[in-house]
Amino acid sequence: MSRGPNPITEFFVGVSTLLRGFGFWRRRPRAMALGLIPAAIVFAVLVVLIVLLVVNLDPVTIFLTGFAETWDEGWRNLLRIGFGLALIVGLIVLYAFSFTALTLLIGDWFYERIWRAVEADLGEFTPGPEPGFWRSAGDGVLLVVRAIFTGLLIVLLGLVPLIGTVLAVVVGTFLSGRLVALELTTRPLEARGMTRQQRRAALRPHRARVLGFGVAVHLSFLIPGGAVIVMPVAVAGATVLAKHVLANDMLGEAPAARVTESGA
């Protein structure tokens, strides 16, 4: 019985998929440059909100941990430090996903130019009936809800004694990476007429590659200014990833388990 691809290898192939996206700066510079505009706008707004929260982190932490007011001072301070760090990690998770979702939402026209240009370069793209506004909006709401619950989970993990902060960072990075990858691959998969269930079925056999791509995007967003520069690259890379997970003749049918690398 043949064994599937090595998950570790697939994870790093996913990372390299993001790196492949940088190649489209040379091949499609105008489309990629346009992708900087909505990314810069959303980034500026989110930075202001994050700064406001960080500046008020102490009173927010004290308010949320009011139940520990009667504890021993040492334990109370330890709890509040851990809770504050967990809030920051949870905020980073929400930032990465919110940045991706909002940028794709307001910059749909810009990013459509990018992923269609990538599809044209890769070839053999057959568009399907695209979903209506309400179905797309419903899918978006579900992803936002998942991101909020992920952020709350990260905050709770941060309360675990001794290892809470490290655990929150590691789990938050992987969960956020997965959410970001799901959001970025939505548009090129929807363009083939795929529902949310079909998209998840298509991505499921490639979990490690999808995760590697998403984690690479998430970590890139944490670099100062990286979110703006990497966003067009991430859209291009997500299109390459979507191309990999689909058979070229797939349209409203169950997706094939793989597609040849020449098509990817």
Side-chain angles (χ1 to χ4, degrees):
M1 183 176 179
S2 61
R3 301 176 63 182
N6 186 300
I8 297 177
T9 301
E10 282 291 287
F11 180 89
F12 284 103
V13 170
V15 173
S16 69
T17 302
L18 176 63
L19 299 178
R20 286 186 62 182
F22 281 96
F24 289 93
W25 272 108
R26 175 177 53 83
R27 298 161 66 177
R28 301 285 184 165
R30 291 187 178 181
M32 297 291 281
L34 284 174
L36 297 174
I37 298 173
I41 295 172
V42 174
F43 178 75
V45 173
L46 290 180
V47 164
V48 171
L49 295 177
I50 290 171
V51 169
L52 288 175
L53 181 58
V54 171
V55 168
N56 294 281
L57 185 62
D58 282 346
V60 170
T61 302
I62 292 172
F63 173 76
L64 293 176
T65 58
F67 59 88
E69 198 63 41
T70 59
W71 290 16
D72 176 78
E73 184 179 358
W75 286 109
R76 184 174 67 244
N77 291 339
L78 185 62
L79 170 69
R80 286 175 172 171
I81 290 172
F83 192 80
L85 291 174
L87 278 176
I88 292 174
V89 175
L91 180 65
I92 291 173
V93 171
L94 290 176
Y95 155 74
F97 180 79
S98 299
F99 173 81
T100 304
L102 290 174
T103 305
L104 291 175
L105 178 64
I106 72 170
D108 182 66
W109 180 83
F110 299 91
Y111 296 117
E112 182 175 2
R113 292 173 63 90
I114 293 176
W115 69 258
R116 286 195 179 277
V118 175
E119 290 283 9
D121 279 5
L122 298 177
E124 300 184 29
F125 167 59
T126 304
E130 297 190 26
F133 170 79
W134 291 112
R135 197 180 85 184
S136 295
D139 289 349
V141 169
L142 286 176
L143 282 172
V144 170
V145 170
R146 290 177 64 185
I148 292 173
F149 276 104
T150 298
L152 293 176
L153 173 62
I154 300 307
V155 172
L156 293 177
L157 287 176
L159 298 178
V160 177
L162 301 179
I163 63 170
T165 301
V166 174
L167 187 64
V169 170
V170 173
V171 175
T173 297
F174 281 92
L175 291 181
S176 178
R178 183 174 180 273
L179 287 173
V180 167
L182 291 176
E183 180 67 14
L184 284 166
T185 54
T186 293
R187 197 65 184 89
L189 294 177
E190 277 187 342
R192 291 170 166 85
M194 297 180 68
T195 64
R196 181 171 62 90
Q197 291 78 10
Q198 289 173 326
R199 297 196 302 271
R200 294 182 65 180
L203 295 172
R204 190 173 297 119
H206 309 272
R207 290 188 186 94
R209 184 176 294 211
V210 172
L211 183 61
F213 172 77
V215 168
V217 173
H218 171 76
L219 294 178
S220 298
F221 283 179
L222 301 184
I223 301 171
V228 177
I229 297 172
V230 173
M231 189 63 193
V233 175
V235 172
T239 308
V240 174
L241 180 61
K243 193 77 169 182
H244 166 78
V245 302
L246 294 174
N248 291 330
D249 59 352
M250 183 271 171
L251 181 58
E253 302 172 355
R258 68 180 183 89
V259 64
T260 58
E261 285 297 323
S262 61

